[in-house]
Amino acid sequence: MSKTYKTLGTILFFSLGFVGLSACTDSNELPDRGYTLVWADEFDGTTGDPPNPEFWTYDIGTGTDGWGNNELQYYTDRTENIHIDGKGNLVIKAINEPFAGRNYTSARITTKGLKEFRFGRIEARIKTPFGQGLWPAFWMLGSNIDGVGWPQTGEIDIMELRGQQPSTVLGSVHGPGYSAGNAITTAFQLFDGRFDTEFHVFAIEWGSDFIDFFVDDRLYKRLTPADIPAGSEWVFDRHFFLLLNVAVGGNFVGSPSPNTRFPQTMLIDYVRVYQ
């Protein structure tokens, strides 16, 4: 785990959407929630192996309207775009190449229908890609999405990053009445480091009436039903599944620039769930 920051002077917290300015809370001020490890993928395996099919499945293609965001990539299940590196990491690689009518390929995997969770600590140790137009994410969707759709199902973005802002990550929730540009979002910024040069641990601790967001065990936002817009529904008391992906382009990050270098990779050391 990176120790890029040790003092409050190296950290900046700021907020978007409906959330006010975040206060820093050290992890030793939190109650002991008594979590124990219930599931993990450590991505151990041979170089070139695909992710474990007992844990992960693939979203393939371009989705509807670029997965709802006008994204530019075509998601594949090819080992060129996603594989184990033989060093204990999962690699998700975005490539600039013509493929199925698109100019970029990447990968997006999900535990939907395989591993779904309700409450606990969800964490991953990740090194992000860098560059204008890159959009890496570690996130969750409600398991009832096929029945109720988005945003009614709920979305928890444990970590997403604009590749052109390599020192800032965002933690967000989307739900009915607070989605897309009106999501409840808090940003966490490093003053003396970047998320693409070292691994960092991104996590939530989640219960029926709270979601706590962490970077490297530093709590930077506590979200409760009181934080969502009046009259809106708190939809985070059900089972969710996990997703990992690197998008290219889209409304959130814009298109790659001529200076964006490809290929770009996201390395995931592990994903762990405690309850």
Side-chain angles (χ1 to χ4, degrees), residues 172-252:
S172 307
V173 298
H174 301 252
Y178 49 101
S179 63
N182 293 318
I184 301 172
T185 300
T186 302
F188 178 101
Q189 181 175 332
L190 298 175
F191 280 146
D192 61 348
R194 293 163 47 137
F195 291 105
D196 63 311
T197 58
E198 298 181 90
F199 282 92
H200 294 265
V201 176
F202 306 98
I204 59 166
E205 293 187 5
W206 164 42
S208 61
D209 60 355
F210 70 91
I211 305 173
D212 288 344
F213 289 83
F214 298 84
V215 173
D216 294 333
D217 287 329
R218 178 77 65 173
L219 173 64
Y220 70 94
K221 178 59 187 177
R222 173 167 291 158
L223 189 71
T224 72
D227 295 308
I228 68 173
S232 297
E233 182 183 359
W234 177 265
V235 292
F236 307 105
D237 55 356
R238 58 193 58 161
H239 283 81
F240 277 63
F241 58 88
L242 311 179
L243 301 97
L244 289 161
N245 68 287
V246 177
V248 180
N251 304 332
F252 184 68

